[in-house]
Amino acid sequence: MSDERPPRLHVPAPAIRPGDQPDFSHVTIPRAGEVGRPAPDTPPEDMRDMAFTIIRVLNRKGEAVGPWAGSMTPEELLRGLRDMMKLRLYDTRMMTAQRQGKTSFYMQHLGEEAISCAFQRALRKGDMNFPTYRQAGLLIAAGYPLVKMMNQVYSNDGDPVRGRQLPVFYSSKEHGFFSISGNLATQYIQAVGWAMGAAIRGDNKLSAAWIGDGSTAESDFHGALVFASTYKPPVILNIVNNQWAISTFQGIARGGAGTFAARAHGFGLPALRVDGNDYLAVHAASQWAVERARRDLGPTLIEFVTYRAGGHSTSDDPSAYRPKEEGAAWPLGDPILRLKAHLIRLGVWSEERHVQAEEEIRAEVVAAQKEAEAIGTLHSGSRPSPRDMFEDVYAEMPPHLVRQRHEVGF
């Protein structure tokens, strides 16, 4: 008897739908401190197991335990806590501003603050991030002015990119933040190319590629891994697995790989899988990968496991595709609360000091917002001139652009 049967299309589907009880029992989470720390020069084939576990430092008691702990001083951790708090409060103000009609669009980072804020602290000036739209913490940790960020969100006359980007598509060469692209995954391969250029020039600089779990289905992701594995430039290949790509769960992009980190194995690259809500774990893994790159040991792929607690953007309603309670059920907790608990346990922080810090940072954010709104918002105040769309394109403006500029009155 033949076992042949007509083929059918196998479409992965999330196990949980709106109205169902949230369930993360499929997420295997090792105890904090349980995962070993290989030497940075460990061959990829000798650390394959690192792609199937999760590096964690902070336990439920707020203790930093295991071989990945101990790389940061209390002062550095306090600075990291303030970075994350500033990003969250900034998000809150800009989300409200969008609902008030002051800007057209916004994307928040709720639940993912530790990843970008901690990663940036492992870099140094001259390194270059090729980010997506949910890594504004890279800028905040690098000291980029909040007023400039807000000016771009409002598309006012202080917008440093002069209205030529979406509100949250920041750009700052000085702060190692390559211009964000709305065409997802394109910058993954650009980051590899930038690192190849640094290697050709002999610059002691590295790049960091950023991508979400959904965009790993794009061909640019795989192309980047081919070039990274072939030429071994100083690049860190980051995947932020926040469980949801807009309204599509991660299983669509992951396929049968088991984890996103495991995809590195097919290219002979080392991979780490990290608790993205653990500031200390993110920083330690980032430092490990940075050391590899600085020692000319090649690229590292890192999967940061986290959860997008908010909507994909202000245009999204996550309750349409996942349970409303799912964010609260996420087993890795809140990155700010976890670091706060650790600092309290160290004796360098307190609940009272945390409340005070919240008010200090809120005042800073509100002051920046008032300064930005004094210049203008989406429908009021000063805006960039239409003339700006013709500038910064050519060193010498060609005749056809001069003619077009004159046609619009400039």
Side-chain angles (χ1 to χ4, degrees):
M1 181 182 296
S2 174
D3 290 333
E4 287 189 9
R5 65 182 68 183
R8 60 186 177 89
L9 190 65
H10 297 259
V11 181
I16 307 298
R17 295 290 191 180
D20 294 339
Q21 189 69 25
D23 181 14
F24 288 106
S25 59
H26 61 284
V27 182
T28 303
I29 302 173
R31 292 193 305 273
E34 183 177 270
V35 177
R37 187 182 187 277
D41 59 354
T42 301
E45 59 270 20
D46 293 343
M47 51 175 288
R48 292 174 62 86
D49 59 316
M50 301 297 292
F52 299 100
T53 186
I54 300 178
I55 297 168
R56 302 181 65 225
V57 172
L58 293 175
N59 64 19
R60 294 182 182 275
K61 298 178 181 178
E63 299 168 321
V65 296
W68 293 89
S71 63
M72 304 190 78
T73 66
E75 291 73 23
E76 290 171 330
L77 292 173
L78 285 167
R79 189 169 57 192
L81 180 65
R82 295 186 72 91
D83 288 341
M84 291 195 291
M85 293 170 68
K86 185 182 293 187
L87 177 56
R88 185 167 293 184
L89 288 165
Y90 170 76
D91 268 353
T92 300
R93 301 296 298 190
M94 293 299 96
M95 285 287 291
T96 301
Q98 193 278 334
R99 299 309 190 201
Q100 293 172 337
K102 295 178 180 179
T103 182
S104 60
F105 182 76
Y106 192 74
M107 303 181 81
Q108 63 177 336
H109 307 71
L110 187 62
E112 302 180 37
E113 294 92 348
I115 297 170
S116 56
C117 290
F119 186 90
Q120 180 62 38
R121 294 298 182 180
L123 302 180
R124 64 191 185 204
K125 191 172 181 60
D127 297 334
M128 182 63 71
N129 284 288
F130 287 74
T132 72
Y133 37 65
R134 227 179 297 278
Q135 277 89 51
L138 296 170
L139 285 173
I140 285 178
Y144 189 74
L146 283 181
V147 174
K148 277 192 174 183
M149 294 175 70
M150 291 176 174
N151 285 341
Q152 182 167 342
V153 171
Y154 290 139
S155 302
N156 64 27
D157 197 37
D159 178 0
V161 296
R162 312 304 294 156
R164 290 175 290 192
Q165 278 276 36
L166 280 169
V168 295
F169 284 16
Y170 312 106
S171 174
S172 178
K173 182 178 181 180
E174 179 187 355
H175 295 83
F177 196 92
F178 198 87
S179 303
I180 296 174
S181 170
N183 299 317
L184 300 180
T186 58
Q187 289 176 283
Y188 219 67
I189 199 163
Q190 292 167 4
V192 175
W194 191 97
M196 290 169 61
I200 290 169
R201 293 189 301 271
D203 290 346
N204 191 15
K205 300 174 184 177
L206 61 84
S207 69
W210 293 88
I211 201 168
D213 50 284
S215 300
T216 61
E218 296 283 350
S219 58
D220 283 340
F221 170 77
H222 302 277
L225 265 61
V226 169
F227 277 79
S229 63
T230 300
Y231 298 103
K232 296 180 174 53
V235 61
I236 302 170
L237 304 157
N238 295 314
I239 302 172
V240 179
N241 176 9
N242 64 15
Q243 314 302 310
W244 290 95
I246 307 183
S247 59
T248 304
F249 88 118
Q250 60 160 297
I252 295 289
R254 189 187 68 241
T259 71
F260 291 97
R263 288 186 168 176
H265 294 164
F267 299 88
L269 295 172
L272 303 176
R273 200 159 178 257
V274 183
D275 179 347
N277 290 28
D278 182 336
Y279 187 93
L280 281 79
V282 171
H283 185 266
S286 302
Q287 272 198 325
W288 189 94
V290 165
E291 183 178 346
R292 277 187 60 86
R294 302 261 190 242
R295 292 172 56 183
D296 194 27
L297 295 170
T300 303
L301 185 144
I302 306 177
E303 176 188 347
F304 294 108
V305 182
T306 185
Y307 184 83
R308 170 167 57 79
H312 177 72
S313 71
T314 49
S315 303
D316 177 44
D317 176 13
S319 67
Y321 53 82
R322 68 187 191 189
K324 291 183 179 179
E325 305 82 9
E326 193 176 79
W330 176 243
L332 294 178
D334 182 297
I336 292 178
L337 296 181
R338 289 177 67 187
L339 184 55
K340 179 183 81 169
H342 175 59
L343 290 167
I344 291 174
R345 189 170 186 89
L346 290 179
V348 297
W349 203 239
S350 66
E351 292 287 354
E352 295 75 20
R353 184 68 188 92
H354 192 81
V355 171
Q356 181 183 356
E358 277 188 326
E359 292 308 312
E360 292 169 356
I361 296 168
R362 183 177 288 109
E364 178 186 351
V365 174
V366 169
Q369 185 175 13
K370 288 180 178 179
E371 183 177 342
E373 291 185 1
I375 300 172
T377 62
L378 182 63
H379 298 295
S380 65
S382 302
R383 302 186 184 93
S385 168
R387 178 192 179 100
D388 293 333
M389 75 176 77
F390 301 96
E391 305 293 339
D392 302 327
V393 181
Y394 296 93
E396 295 185 17
M397 191 176 297
H400 74 281
L401 285 188
V402 173
R403 183 173 64 253
Q404 290 175 23
R405 188 185 68 189
H406 290 165
E407 287 174 356
V408 295
F410 295 95

